[in-house]
Amino acid sequence: MKTLYIAAIVLVALTTAVLWFSWDTIFYEPQICFLDELDAGAPDLIFACTDEKDVILSPESIDQQQLVQYAFELINADRSKYGEQELVLINNDFTQKHAEELLFTCMTSYWSASGLKPYMRYSIAGGEGGIMENVRVLGTPNLKKHWTEESIKQVIAWNQYSMVEGDEPSDWYHSQNLLYPMHNNVAIGIAWNDFCISIVQDFEHDYIDWRQYPTITSDNMLKLSGEIQFNSTLQNIDIFFEPTPVPLSDLQLMSTPLRYSYGHQCSIFSCVSSMSVGNIIPNPSDELTEEDMEKVLNVQSETTIVLVAREWEIKHSSDKTTFSISDDITKLIDEFGTGVYTVIIWTTPDNTENTIAITTISIFV
């Protein structure tokens, strides 16, 4: 009898606990949230929510291409406002895909589910220049939203204003990407679900007609040649290394850094500006061979392996720069092994003192 009495008490206690902790779930009314009227300069998005059963909503017809065009026009309006050249809207295989991937977590990330950074995705898609990416995911994963084309446009306008005029919390990172003078193209990805909206902007500077797209041969020769569409002075080539990317879980994607950079020191755990592992330069001496010059220069370099190009041929005209560069990078391959080697060409356009990175091309070894 005593055992039955104790069992009854335990049963009552368990029932009470279950009801206590699941009361909200049992009696919860699903809600639907609507975006309040949003001004571009508003501090944040505000939603008004109501029980879903209390409203009757017709399916919304939303034109994704119209949203992309609208975002594109806002970008060019800001670039014109600040005296920069307008961009050309392009399509590629990865920008929209990345926007759609971000909906699974409703969190901003520059890494893809396959572990690729923006310039890696760009290179796999056949990118021929350089890329800078802005990403933002807006909304919350716990509140269901009712989006209309107009409300999404308001979010796009708010995001654009925030990235250009209110980007101080990000140290003006997004703003610098948006207004970078050398960009000439942009691809835009926009996606949404019942909970959030993702916006991806991939800015491209594409100025090289390639004769030999950057490649690393089986005997570890880096080869590249082509024609830059303006006259400039090629300074050097940086090479960054990263281990071969691996797929990431949703939890890993949700905890990635809020910005990205090149090289192995910028990982999914933390991101600091990395030093290149290799730096290819023309031979500055007429008296020393490339091998002897490398020995001299690498005595002074503690982190980056300096390589003196076996071939560094540059020809100039009034409006073009033709180049052919090759070098043996066995020292890098032996030191770091298989992985991703990203090639960044630094050049100084005529009539300017600014040296720019004209490529962000990754080679998978």
Side-chain angles (χ1 to χ4, degrees):
M1 186 68 182
K2 184 177 180 181
T3 302
L4 290 174
Y5 178 72
I6 293 173
I9 292 175
V10 170
L11 181 61
V12 169
L14 287 173
T15 302
T16 302
V18 169
L19 287 173
W20 176 265
F21 287 108
S22 62
W23 185 271
D24 287 345
T25 302
I26 295 172
F27 297 100
Y28 172 74
E29 289 288 351
Q31 292 205 312
I32 188 79
C33 300
F34 303 83
L35 180 69
D36 280 357
E37 191 71 23
L38 182 64
D39 293 328
D44 207 346
L45 280 64
I46 298 176
F47 295 91
C49 302
T50 187
D51 291 345
E52 197 168 358
K53 66 179 179 59
D54 294 337
V55 293
I56 299 175
L57 299 171
S58 301
E60 290 288 337
S61 176
I62 301 176
D63 189 330
Q64 195 267 351
Q65 288 302 310
Q66 285 295 321
L67 296 177
V68 168
Q69 182 64 32
Y70 178 66
F72 172 62
E73 291 170 359
L74 291 178
I75 289 170
N76 270 343
D78 277 327
R79 288 183 64 87
S80 294
K81 175 182 175 181
Y82 286 96
E84 304 299 346
Q85 67 172 336
E86 293 191 359
L87 307 180
V88 175
L89 180 64
I90 60 172
N91 292 317
N92 57 41
D93 295 331
F94 64 91
T95 302
Q96 181 61 29
K97 180 181 178 182
H98 188 50
E100 292 169 0
E101 276 189 346
L102 294 170
L103 298 180
F104 288 103
T105 60
C106 276
M107 295 287 287
T108 296
S109 178
Y110 288 96
W111 280 256
S112 70
S114 53
L116 299 171
K117 293 180 184 177
Y119 50 89
M120 297 178 186
R121 301 194 296 271
Y122 174 71
S123 301
I124 290 173
E128 296 189 344
I131 190 175
M132 298 179 182
E133 185 172 87
N134 283 343
V135 173
R136 183 167 283 163
V137 179
L138 297 156
T140 51
N142 58 333
L143 291 175
K144 186 176 181 180
K145 319 293 192 307
H146 177 72
W147 302 113
T148 65
E149 189 165 316
E150 178 57 31
S151 66
I152 295 178
K153 281 185 174 181
Q154 289 182 23
V155 172
I156 292 169
W158 180 90
N159 177 68
Q160 179 69 19
Y161 183 89
S162 171
M163 283 189 168
V164 175
E165 307 293 350
D167 201 41
E168 188 173 1
S170 299
D171 295 326
W172 305 102
Y173 171 82
H174 305 102
S175 181
Q176 290 171 13
N177 283 353
L178 277 154
L179 302 177
Y180 185 63
M182 293 303 295
H183 291 323
N184 52 2
N185 300 318
V186 63
I188 300 171
I190 298 174
W192 62 94
N193 60 15
D194 286 342
F195 301 96
C196 57
I197 296 172
S198 61
I199 303 171
V200 179
Q201 304 166 336
D202 281 320
F203 299 97
E204 182 185 37
H205 36 279
D206 180 12
Y207 291 99
I208 300 179
D209 295 323
W210 291 102
R211 296 175 182 173
Q212 172 61 67
Y213 190 78
T215 187
I216 298 174
T217 65
S218 59
D219 57 349
N220 300 334
M221 290 294 294
L222 173 65
K223 296 184 176 183
L224 58 154
S225 63
E227 187 175 72
I228 302 173
Q229 297 166 16
F230 52 84
N231 206 358
S232 66
T233 302
L234 270 69
Q235 303 292 346
N236 64 288
I237 298 174
D238 272 331
I239 300 177
F240 291 85
F241 171 79
E242 293 164 84
T244 302
V246 296
L248 303 178
S249 67
D250 286 351
L251 184 59
Q252 287 174 314
L253 286 170
M254 292 170 67
S255 59
T256 53
L258 295 179
R259 63 181 61 190
Y260 72 96
S261 186
Y262 312 104
H264 60 288
Q265 290 174 297
C266 180
S267 70
I268 62 171
F269 304 106
S270 65
C271 186
V272 296
S273 296
S274 303
M275 294 291 291
S276 61
V277 297
N279 182 16
I280 301 176
I281 62 172
N283 193 343
S285 172
D286 295 330
E287 299 177 358
L288 296 177
T289 66
E290 289 85 358
E291 293 84 353
D292 290 339
M293 180 54 66
E294 285 180 4
K295 292 177 183 178
V296 173
L297 294 173
N298 281 301
V299 169
Q300 305 168 7
S301 177
E302 298 181 358
T303 57
T304 301
I305 297 174
V306 181
L307 301 169
V308 179
R310 300 303 183 264
E311 178 191 17
W312 188 284
E313 295 183 4
I314 312 294
K315 295 180 180 179
H316 298 277
S317 67
S318 59
D319 59 354
K320 305 278 184 175
T321 304
T322 303
F323 65 91
S324 182
I325 300 170
S326 64
D327 196 24
D328 185 345
I329 62 168
T330 297
K331 290 179 182 178
L332 297 181
I333 302 296
D334 288 347
E335 177 75 18
F336 298 99
T338 58
V340 184
Y341 292 83
T342 299
V343 177
I344 298 182
I345 301 174
W346 293 94
T347 190
T348 306
D350 279 5
N351 303 317
T352 178
E353 296 180 355
N354 297 324
T355 298
I356 61 172
I358 199 172
T359 62
T360 58
I361 294 176
S362 296
I363 304 171
F364 292 73
V365 175

